[in-house]
Amino acid sequence: MTTFSAVSCTHYPFFVIPGFIPLKSHIENSFIVAAKVDKIEPWNAITSNKPTHSFRYYQDQEPYFIYAGESSKPANHLDYEARMQELSDQLYLKFHKTPAFTWHTHDVMTNDSLPFIGSINAQNPNLLIATGFNKWGMTNGVLAGMILSDIVKGKENRYQDMMRPDRPINLEKIKNFFLDGYQNAVSYTKTKLQKNQPFYQDNVKITYENGTRIGIYRDDNGKLHKVCNVCPHMKCNLIFNYLDHTWDCPCHGSRFDIDGNVIEGPAVYNIKLNAKKDK
Ligand code: FES
């Protein structure tokens, strides 16, 4: 009999059951700046203390120095623009450089710092996932490819047991399980209690229309973009991200453009007004 496997590698699983990944993980943002330099140096480094900062050089058409840091949970820092400014200020103060490029990441962090790769649980052995790469996406992405292909082919893989998503709990996991749950609850509550964040400028407003909580962004031409302000995944409220001009969910990292199109999961539905189930 032929057995089929379904592989879900969507950064963050778009389903809650089975697996309950939102209970076993949290989102962390990291911020990165790149400055032009005269030449690249033959070293890179990462700090061993918290908060972590990393440094490296990269030769593109021109040489760049790349500086990353200011990681934070969205529950603690909703204003991404302020975090980026903080990192840019450090770049100037420590290295006398200004950023030529900036970007930021949303990473899925697990409660024991190992990724979830493999069958989601014993009851669903043919539903395979790969998520929770804990900022080591290149390494863990390759590892996920090796483990998942071995599982599909019915081959043994020495890392399979260590990475399986339903691996046994240990003390560290129990502690982080409650911490993640607490952080997610803080994100949820913060967005529910405070409609308009203190860092919103007068081009962003949260209000209610016909009982629906909506977010309004006024673009540089004065055009209003109205969307539903409730995340379709698990109903957190969305925060406006001034770096990318997107609506971001601080609970599990879903993101939407200013017109309500979903651009990153786990949400799979748009947030357009009157079309909340529009995919
Ligand atoms: Fe889960 Fe928004 S509530 S991503």
Side-chain angles (χ1 to χ4, degrees):
M1 190 179 74
T2 309
T3 309
F4 292 96
S5 296
V7 180
S8 170
C9 298
T10 51
H11 182 53
Y12 198 118
F14 58 87
F15 46 83
V16 179
I17 303 171
F20 294 102
I21 297 301
L23 293 181
K24 305 181 196 170
S25 62
H26 69 270
I27 292 289
E28 252 183 58
N29 300 320
S30 296
F31 298 83
I32 305 149
V33 290
K36 283 184 191 167
V37 289
D38 295 333
K39 63 181 176 65
I40 60 168
E41 302 287 348
W43 58 267
N44 54 51
I46 187 165
T47 58
S48 56
N49 57 335
K50 298 275 181 192
T52 305
H53 288 89
S54 71
F55 320 80
R56 71 184 64 183
Y57 287 86
Y58 180 72
Q59 179 70 51
D60 199 36
Q61 286 168 345
E62 297 182 86
Y64 288 95
F65 173 65
I66 298 175
Y67 180 48
E70 295 311 301
S71 291
S72 62
K73 297 176 181 175
N76 298 336
H77 294 282
L78 296 173
D79 183 356
Y80 300 168
E81 200 178 30
R83 303 299 283 174
M84 188 64 87
Q85 189 58 50
E86 171 67 26
L87 193 71
S88 302
D89 290 348
Q90 290 176 25
L91 181 75
Y92 187 76
L93 285 172
K94 293 178 182 168
F95 306 102
H96 311 296
K97 304 278 177 212
T98 50
F101 298 100
T102 65
W103 66 101
H104 63 107
T105 66
H106 295 234
D107 291 285
V108 184
M109 314 296 286
T110 61
N111 51 23
D112 63 359
S113 303
L114 287 176
F116 294 135
I117 303 170
S119 303
I120 195 145
N121 58 23
Q123 294 73 42
N124 299 276
N126 298 327
L127 175 54
L128 311 179
I129 64 164
T131 189
F133 289 172
N134 292 279
K135 306 187 187 186
W136 288 81
M138 285 194 282
T139 309
N140 287 328
V142 172
L143 183 64
M146 293 162 66
I147 294 176
L148 295 183
S149 62
D150 282 349
I151 293 175
V152 170
K153 288 188 282 188
K155 276 173 63 182
E156 280 281 309
N157 186 298
R158 61 198 291 211
Y159 301 112
Q160 184 176 334
D161 205 41
M162 189 190 297
M163 306 295 171
R164 58 183 241 247
D166 63 343
R167 54 187 172 256
I169 56 174
N170 57 31
L171 210 56
E172 183 72 6
K173 275 181 81 169
I174 293 172
K175 189 183 87 195
N176 289 333
F177 172 84
F178 286 108
L179 195 60
D180 286 349
Y182 170 73
Q183 293 283 358
N184 286 336
V186 168
S187 299
Y188 183 85
T189 311
K190 261 188 177 175
T191 64
K192 290 287 168 203
L193 293 182
Q194 190 163 29
K195 280 209 318 267
N196 287 290
Q197 300 298 323
F199 60 88
Y200 284 174
Q201 299 155 22
D202 64 3
N203 58 356
V204 169
K205 193 162 181 226
I206 309 295
T207 186
Y208 284 88
E209 277 185 11
N210 303 322
T212 301
R213 181 162 155 149
I214 62 168
I216 306 172
Y217 167 65
R218 193 183 68 243
D219 68 23
D220 291 345
N221 298 320
K223 183 178 174 196
L224 297 183
H225 302 261
K226 290 187 184 183
V227 295
C228 174
N229 185 248
V230 182
C231 180
H233 180 232
M234 291 176 77
K235 308 297 177 206
C236 283
N237 290 113
L238 304 167
I239 302 293
F240 193 75
N241 168 355
Y242 275 100
L243 290 178
D244 301 317
H245 291 152
T246 54
W247 291 98
D248 291 7
C249 181
C251 291
H252 315 111
S254 292
R255 304 179 67 205
F256 307 85
D257 71 16
I258 53 172
D259 293 313
N261 299 299
V262 63
I263 52 177
E264 186 170 342
V268 293
Y269 295 108
N270 295 330
I271 53 166
K272 297 180 183 202
L273 286 176
N274 306 321
K276 291 180 208 165
K277 294 292 177 189
D278 173 27
K279 277 190 190 177

